[in-house]
Amino acid sequence: MSVPRYPGEHLLDRLGMPARSAAPAGSEARFPDGGSWRTELPSCEGPEVLAAALEEADRYEVPLHRISQGSGVWMLTDAEITEMVKACEERHIELCLFVGPRGTWDIGAGVKASSGGSGPRARGRDQLAQCVEEAERAVALGVKCLLVADEGVLWTLHRLRAAGVLPADVTFKVSALVGPVNPAAYAIWEKLGGDSINVPSDLTIGQIAELRAQSAAPMDFYVEAPDDLGGFVRLYDAAELIRCGAPIYLKFGLRNAPGIYPVGRHLRDVAVNTARERVHRGRLTLDILERLGADGGMSPLGSRLPGDLNRFPTDGDL
């Protein structure tokens, strides 16, 4: 394997241009399997979309550790969830489903305000309970990763996991809709039970290194973000994201695509075609890593657990 390099620097050096600024320190943290990075394909909204994504992954030879969905458990029948679980298990891919209704779909008007109000968080005791119901249902159908966008929901689910009500190997992924932007906030999400934490894609490499210095919790990062998350395209930053953010999931999102949450038959073609293009974007990212000699250190396929993380105590629960 070639030695990792920065893109274009060898040519700029020949022109006598000043050296690039010092890079932030690299991360020594790793997944428990020894890998520094994994891959994730988001927005696979149901069995039909999942099948198209897997077909495209075979065609482009894109390795996938995790596939996630954003419309929510409640938008899938038991049969659909079971079909998705089976398809992912056959390929040793972790399936992650979003839990519960959230504030952006509720009757409260605050989320329509320019400030966003409570945003995607669970509003009131009822929505908290509905999220817990979603988690119990999904886990019973074989889902082992749940996507969460609320601190209270995460802490509640973690307490249930710590008490043995939910299986110990169920993992909780913190949504990009509420991702932390400073080291203290990142550590809080870990302590509340987050097993991987999505951070906004507008953070600099230096800021990524600052978060990593505070916590060893796996990070999720859109190397291409959908428009409603900023539309950032950072394929060339993937190597530095791995170096400074490891352990990290590289997420293959898609800019300039319509929103599809919650998905349905009326959005079938859009959901399928955008899933296929996300896989293509993943191939482009992997190609850049390979050309730069930075494609080493990927976790073995089938790896999913985050390792030992730092939690708030739950002594006395239940």
Side-chain angles (χ1 to χ4, degrees), residues 4 7 53 110 123 126 132 172 181 190 201 215 222 258 306:
R123 285 168 46 87
D126 283 351
V132 172
F172 304 130
V181 294
E190 176 191 0
S201 294
S215 165
Y222 274 103

Coordinates of all heavy atoms in Angstrom, one line a residue, residues 4 7 53 110 123 126 132 172 181 190 201 215 222 258 306:
P4 N 0.3 7.4 2.5 CA -0.8 8.5 2.3 C -0.1 9.8 2.0 O 0.9 10.2 2.4 CB -1.4 8.5 3.7 CG -1.2 7.2 4.3 CD 0.1 6.8 3.8
P7 N -3.6 15.6 -1.5 CA -3.9 15.8 -3.0 C -3.2 17.0 -3.5 O -3.3 18.1 -3.0 CB -5.4 15.9 -3.1 CG -5.9 16.3 -1.7 CD -4.9 15.7 -0.8
A53 N -30.1 -0.5 -3.4 CA -28.8 0.0 -2.9 C -27.8 -1.2 -2.9 O -26.7 -1.1 -3.2 CB -29.0 0.6 -1.5
G110 N -44.1 25.6 16.9 CA -42.8 26.1 17.2 C -41.7 25.7 16.1 O -40.8 26.4 15.8
R123 N -41.6 15.6 21.6 CA -42.4 16.6 22.3 C -43.3 15.9 23.3 O -44.2 15.1 23.0 CB -43.2 17.4 21.3 CG -42.4 18.4 20.6 CD -43.2 19.0 19.4 NE -44.6 19.4 19.8 CZ -44.9 20.6 20.3 NH1 -43.9 21.5 20.5 NH2 -46.1 20.9 20.7
D126 N -45.9 11.8 25.7 CA -46.4 10.9 24.7 C -45.4 10.5 23.7 O -45.3 9.3 23.3 CB -47.7 11.5 24.1 CG -48.9 11.4 25.0 OD1 -48.8 10.7 26.1 OD2 -49.9 12.0 24.7
V132 N -40.1 4.9 22.7 CA -39.8 3.7 23.4 C -40.5 2.5 22.8 O -40.0 1.4 22.7 CB -40.1 3.9 24.9 CG1 -39.9 2.5 25.7 CG2 -39.2 4.9 25.5
F172 N -27.1 2.6 19.8 CA -27.8 3.8 19.5 C -27.0 4.8 18.8 O -25.9 5.2 19.2 CB -28.3 4.4 20.9 CG -29.1 3.5 21.7 CD1 -28.8 3.3 23.1 CD2 -30.2 2.7 21.2 CE1 -29.5 2.4 23.8 CE2 -30.9 1.9 21.9 CZ -30.6 1.7 23.3
V181 N -21.5 20.2 18.3 CA -20.5 21.0 17.6 C -19.3 21.4 18.4 O -18.5 22.2 18.0 CB -21.2 22.2 16.9 CG1 -22.1 21.8 15.8 CG2 -21.9 23.1 17.9
E190 N -22.2 10.9 24.3 CA -21.6 9.6 24.7 C -22.1 9.1 26.0 O -22.5 8.0 26.2 CB -20.1 9.7 24.7 CG -19.4 8.4 25.1 CD -17.9 8.5 25.3 OE1 -17.4 9.6 25.2 OE2 -17.3 7.5 25.7
S201 N -21.6 18.4 9.1 CA -20.5 18.3 8.1 C -19.9 19.7 7.8 O -19.0 19.7 6.9 CB -21.1 17.7 6.8 OG -21.5 16.4 7.0
S215 N -13.3 12.5 23.4 CA -14.1 11.3 23.5 C -13.7 10.3 22.5 O -13.2 10.7 21.3 CB -15.6 11.7 23.3 OG -16.4 10.5 23.0
Y222 N -21.2 12.8 7.3 CA -21.6 12.9 5.9 C -20.4 13.5 5.1 O -20.2 14.7 5.2 CB -22.8 13.8 5.7 CG -24.1 13.1 5.9 CD1 -24.9 13.3 7.1 CD2 -24.7 12.3 5.0 CE1 -26.1 12.8 7.3 CE2 -25.9 11.8 5.1 CZ -26.6 12.0 6.3 OH -27.9 11.4 6.4
P258 N -34.2 15.8 -3.7 CA -35.4 16.2 -2.9 C -35.5 15.4 -1.6 O -35.0 14.3 -1.5 CB -36.6 15.8 -3.8 CG -36.0 14.8 -4.8 CD -34.6 15.1 -4.9
P306 N -19.2 -0.7 19.1 CA -18.3 0.5 19.3 C -17.2 0.4 20.3 O -16.3 1.2 20.3 CB -19.3 1.5 19.8 CG -20.3 0.7 20.6 CD -20.4 -0.6 19.9

